Amino acid sequence: MDFKEKKDKKLDSRKSMTDTTPLLHSTHQNQRHSYYRFNSFPISNSFAVEMTTNILPRQLRSVFLGVDVGTGSARAGLFNEDGKLLGSASSPIQIWKDGDCVEQSSTDIWLAICTAVKRACDLGSVSKEEVKGLGFAATCSLVAVDSEGEPVTVSWSGDTRRNIIVWMDHRAVKQAERINASNSPVLQYCGGGVSPEMEPPKLLWVKENLQESWSMVFRWMDLSDWLTYKATGDDTRSLCTTVCKWTYLGHAHMQQINEKDSCAMESCGWDDGFWEEIGLGDLVDGHHAKIGRSVAFPGHALGSGLTPHAAKELGLMAGTPVGTALIDAHAGGVGVMESVPASDSESIVDEDAISRRMVLVCGTSTCHMAVSRTKLFIPGVWGPFWSAMVPEYWLTEGGQSATGSLLDHIIENHVASPHLANCAASRRISIFDLLNEILESMKQDEGSPFIAALTNDMHILPDFHGNRSPIADPKSKGMISGLTLDTSEKQLALLYLATVQGIAYGTRHIVEHCNANGHKIDTLLACGGLAKNRLFVQEHADIIGYPIILPRENESVLLGSAILGAVASKKYSTVRDAMKAMNAAGQVVHPSKDVKVKKYHDAKYSIFRDLYEQQQKHRSLMAEALS
């Protein structure tokens, strides 16, 4: 039975729900407290200043706006039609953490977005008339709103502001285990099982623990989709969010990729049997009204563009085209995947060169994005997801749940951290830059053959927030081998370096696992905050053994979001066309040619793999002792 037949069979017995309820503006605003510092971003002044005369009016540029909501801030970036950054700004967002529960506020996030957009326009000297298209990207967090668009709490606290379960929230581990025990056919499209970071386990948790909230929610939305809904009033969901985080089967729409005009498609990719089996059959009601009655390819123009109310709040023009959104990591992929040096792009004539690349989107977590023409089922790796990032390609998505956040954790919890932070601040450099300098000095003082060799007796398994892939073990724990009583700044530098290396060994594990299961990856492209750290990038190149291409523009997630706006505005006919026009390569970091470096990392990688095997043995022994 195909998807449409299954859906039609259910319709007569289901209660119909309206899908036209407008999203009303909140009548109250909450005071916002940030746990994050305000960050400013460098502004490119390379664009030409237009001259005006008394005869001819000033010619308006075509500018595209990208908005990215990360874990700690909302950011906005403005790009010209060649993908050059004109101006960007960020605004912090609030986050509540209580054990495995991590929550945010959609009201707070929207206010932060409005602040960032207005400031970016001011810094880039861009008028609202010049913004021709807008795209959103955000973390894959779960948003709950009622029939009037007001937040519904998903928190034990009952605080209505806290209506978002953040992507990194791990409250639903047991629910994920029960869902995976169902062995539903849809699970093969997410590496064999859902993660507690995906939406079905979180939905099941709310139903089982917060029944009043469950009954009040009118729409469950990925954060990216909620942003486009807030902006346009159009409830159409993204093929990216639904396929990657909701078990939606995007390949139900394969025949629609060749349609001349992008359209909002009836959501025929839901597997109703799956939702019934896991205890969430009520989400099938009303043609799946609560989780998405229609979907669209990323970049599809939604509704009539910005509503007058949203446009006023953002400081933009009503009717500005808004494209269907992407998850933030996937926007990073769109913003960087065609960023190959000109010499390479000219010498490669086959379109499938893109299939030999993997994008590392390195931020709080790291996502590993690769595409292929054929679907590849890889145990422990999410996907294959059809057209979830690059149209007509199957997406494979690996990941590490804690990378930037792990480095912060290691540094901030060390006794030497406050002093180093003060030193870095006095010199106006990052603490990472200062630690890199200390490591370089230690290399010289100790006569080490290369910086990496400083950690020859320190080894780290970076699974402090579980293993997303390729082991897919949310219960995995971090491990450190080689600690002493030393609490000096040098010892912190070594811990930092060993953590960077542990993260890079994890990426090597993912790349090797993907290539062993059908991929042919030989080039990496890196973007995100950690990609600005030269030591982080060089260690990855040395450990994996592949060149790493950095983009011309640092803000690849913002660029990927802006590309969605460019496609929605019809400046470019497809996402792929826009990628080729707006992506551009910067520096290429090559792996060391020193054979000793390779030999060293091969040995440490072997130890890295052994750490998890030791942990499994320890778990087994303790389970037996407590049985």
Side-chain angles (χ1 to χ4, degrees), residues 482-552:
L483 291 177
T484 69
L485 294 176
D486 188 358
T487 59
S488 68
E489 295 171 5
K490 290 183 178 180
Q491 198 267 349
L492 173 55
L494 292 178
L495 264 176
Y496 155 73
L497 175 58
T499 305
V500 168
Q501 291 169 339
I503 292 168
Y505 296 132
T507 293
R508 175 172 167 174
H509 192 188
I510 292 168
V511 173
E512 289 182 353
H513 187 66
C514 288
N515 282 347
N517 285 274
H519 278 286
K520 298 179 180 178
I521 298 159
D522 60 14
T523 301
L524 304 178
L525 301 100
C527 63
L530 290 178
K532 302 172 187 177
N533 183 331
R534 58 179 178 80
L535 181 137
F536 183 90
V537 176
Q538 187 64 61
E539 288 297 291
H540 274 69
D542 292 346
I543 286 167
I544 302 165
Y546 295 151
I548 298 181
I549 302 172
L550 301 176
R552 176 190 64 194

Side-chain angles (χ1 to χ4, degrees), residues 548-618:
I548 298 181
I549 302 172
L550 301 176
R552 176 190 64 194
E553 301 295 342
N554 287 328
E555 304 299 341
S556 297
V557 176
L558 288 176
L559 175 57
S561 307
I563 283 173
L564 301 173
V567 175
S569 74
K570 308 302 182 185
K571 172 62 181 178
Y572 300 103
S573 58
T574 68
V575 168
R576 189 80 188 277
D577 289 342
M579 289 168 64
K580 291 179 178 178
M582 300 176 75
N583 286 189
Q587 180 185 2
V588 180
V589 178
H590 294 278
S592 172
K593 295 180 180 179
D594 188 341
V595 294
K596 293 181 180 179
V597 172
K598 182 181 185 306
K599 183 178 179 181
Y600 174 82
H601 284 304
D602 286 347
K604 285 205 70 171
Y605 179 61
S606 177
I607 295 171
F608 165 85
R609 296 289 298 272
D610 186 56
L611 288 174
Y612 181 72
E613 293 178 10
Q614 288 182 37
Q615 183 176 144
Q616 285 184 301
K617 293 177 182 177
H618 299 165

